[in-house]
Each structure stands twice: as C-alpha cells, then as structure tokens.
Amino acid sequence: MKIEFITNSAQETFELGASLGKRLHANSIIAFYGELAAGKTTLIKGVAHAIGGIDPNEINSPTFTYLNIYDGLKSFYHFDLYRMKGAEQFLQMGFDEYFDAEGICCVEWSERIRSILPKKRIDIFLEHQNQSRKIIIESEYEEISF
C-alpha cells in the first residue's frame, strides 16, 4: 500500500493524522521520516487525538527524553530519536519492548533505528513543498484505506 497526500496547512496535516489514527489498532507502529519542521509532530498530534482523545496541546517532541507516554483510550508511545546514536542505543534502553506493549508507537527520526524496526509497520515520509507538505504513507504489511 502506498498513498500520497498534499496538505496545505498545519490543520490539514493534523486532520490527516486524525484520519490515520482512527484506522490504527493496538501494536501499530508508525515510523516517521522527514527533515526538521516537516510536520511530523503535527501529524502525530492528530493520531494521538484520534486514538485516545489525548489533548493535542499535551503532545510535543520529547527531544531530550526520547520518549513520552500518554494514556488515553489506547496507550500512546511517542519517540523522538533525533539525538539517538543508533539502534544499539535504542535496544540498550529497552525501548524495543514498546513495540509489543499493546499501544500505538509513533517514532520520529526512524532512520536512526531502521535496521531494527519491525517489518509490520507503517512508514510515513514528509517533505516541504513550498507552503505545503507532501506526505507519503507506505506499508507492505498494513492495509489502510482513506
């Protein structure tokens, strides 16, 4: 499955995230890729709001802690691996256990641990296009229709 979207505002990016969040199930893993300020956190705010009624204002990039955990209708694990050195550090910290923790895992800067990401995941690529965002959602193992 591969779907491409263009969003023209933060609100549209948030709404796309909410639409995706409504389609996720426990143990869903979403790997996010994109440069700084590409819209990853905004998309994740939409996902979190849809899956658990989590206040989007509570969601921020946990850049200095690697992981924020939110409890809503479903547990929500938000990783920001910008400062992580690689997969070995991720494993040493025991973070891989969250992949099977019956919640939803959103992993920003997934390229840092790509070699250990479960195959059953959703990859989301974000990039700037002038004032808009190009968002590509791909998965070999998860079928999501919009």
Side-chain angles (χ1 to χ4, degrees), residues 32-77:
F32 291 82
Y33 306 88
E35 59 197 24
L36 284 170
K40 296 181 295 291
T41 303
T42 301
L43 195 62
I44 288 169
K45 286 180 179 194
V47 170
H49 183 68
I51 65 155
I54 299 165
D55 181 353
N57 294 318
E58 290 183 27
I59 305 291
N60 54 43
S61 288
T63 301
F64 296 103
T65 59
Y66 295 122
L67 170 64
N68 280 337
I69 299 172
Y70 302 93
D71 289 315
L73 300 174
K74 296 177 187 168
S75 293
F76 183 71
Y77 310 111

Side-chain angles (χ1 to χ4, degrees), residues 7-145:
T7 61
N8 295 302
S9 67
Q11 183 62 34
E12 286 183 12
T13 303
F14 175 88
E15 289 170 3
L16 178 60
S19 183
L20 173 63
K22 291 174 186 172
R23 293 160 169 78
L24 298 175
H25 54 79
N27 284 337
S28 288
I29 299 164
I30 305 100
F32 291 82
Y33 306 88
E35 59 197 24
L36 284 170
K40 296 181 295 291
T41 303
T42 301
L43 195 62
I44 288 169
K45 286 180 179 194
V47 170
H49 183 68
I51 65 155
I54 299 165
D55 181 353
N57 294 318
E58 290 183 27
I59 305 291
N60 54 43
S61 288
T63 301
F64 296 103
T65 59
Y66 295 122
L67 170 64
N68 280 337
I69 299 172
Y70 302 93
D71 289 315
L73 300 174
K74 296 177 187 168
S75 293
F76 183 71
Y77 310 111
H78 178 199
F79 290 92
D80 184 325
L81 306 182
Y82 181 72
R83 295 181 324 107
M84 183 153 287
K85 292 179 179 29
E88 185 176 319
Q89 182 183 7
F90 188 86
L91 293 171
Q92 288 173 346
M93 297 177 91
F95 287 149
D96 56 314
E97 293 177 17
Y98 288 95
F99 293 152
D100 297 312
E102 298 299 318
I104 307 294
C105 285
C106 287
V107 184
E108 293 190 55
W109 302 99
S110 293
E111 55 272 22
R112 306 279 198 277
I113 62 163
R114 189 159 193 151
S115 64
I116 61 165
L117 283 170
K119 291 184 189 295
K120 190 175 181 181
R121 68 176 187 271
I122 298 166
D123 291 317
I124 300 182
F125 303 88
L126 297 95
E127 64 181 64
H128 294 282
Q129 287 196 329
N130 298 319
Q131 298 299 318
S132 59
R133 303 276 189 276
K134 179 179 178 182
I135 301 170
I136 299 171
I137 301 174
E138 290 185 4
S139 180
E140 293 181 37
Y141 299 93
E142 296 281 336
E143 188 61 40
I144 297 177
S145 58

